[in-house]
Amino acid sequence: QVQLVESGGGLVQAGGSLRLSCAASGRTFSSNAMGWFRQAPGKEREFVSAISRSGRDTLYADSVKGRFTISRDNAKNTVYLQINSLKPEDTAVYYCAARESFNLLAAANRGSYRYWGQGTQVTVSS
């Protein structure tokens, strides 16, 4: 069992930055590849980014490439999402998720994640 708790969301102006954190507890954090998803009102939850168990490999949705950076600190059982150049269309609830696999095969598929956090709200004003 893995418990995930996100933090770092908030209200920011367009062009601003945020750093989201996801603290994990339970099973060995370093065994899991991790991902971030987001869900805007009235829309399906969509893939944002993922990182392999070691942190060596990362994956990004096209819509966030160059603006978002995922990282992890296995010693702190935490995964991060640095969000820069925020746009109003980035407004959503951001969810952290953990998958049983250690790699990024099918990492954009939300069905491949077993554990989910409760989400943190990011609101970007224009």
Side-chain angles (χ1 to χ4, degrees), residues 24-72:
S25 61
R27 287 179 52 185
T28 303
F29 171 76
S30 59
S31 299
N32 303 97
M34 302 292 294
W36 285 96
F37 287 74
R38 67 185 181 185
Q39 187 166 17
K43 295 187 177 181
E44 291 192 355
R45 193 170 299 187
E46 65 174 2
F47 171 75
V48 173
S49 182
I51 188 167
S52 62
R53 176 181 63 182
S54 67
R56 181 182 64 187
D57 299 311
T58 58
L59 183 67
Y60 296 94
D62 288 343
S63 59
V64 307
K65 281 181 181 177
R67 300 188 298 122
F68 290 20
T69 303
I70 191 171
S71 61
R72 67 190 295 163

Side-chain angles (χ1 to χ4, degrees), residues 44-106:
E44 291 192 355
R45 193 170 299 187
E46 65 174 2
F47 171 75
V48 173
S49 182
I51 188 167
S52 62
R53 176 181 63 182
S54 67
R56 181 182 64 187
D57 299 311
T58 58
L59 183 67
Y60 296 94
D62 288 343
S63 59
V64 307
K65 281 181 181 177
R67 300 188 298 122
F68 290 20
T69 303
I70 191 171
S71 61
R72 67 190 295 163
D73 185 337
N74 288 343
K76 295 182 178 180
N77 288 354
T78 303
V79 62
Y80 305 97
L81 187 68
Q82 178 68 40
I83 308 176
N84 298 326
S85 303
L86 277 158
K87 304 175 181 180
E89 51 264 43
D90 294 321
T91 295
V93 177
Y94 283 71
Y95 296 91
C96 172
R99 59 204 307 249
E100 298 288 0
S101 173
F102 62 88
N103 60 33
L104 299 184
L105 183 65

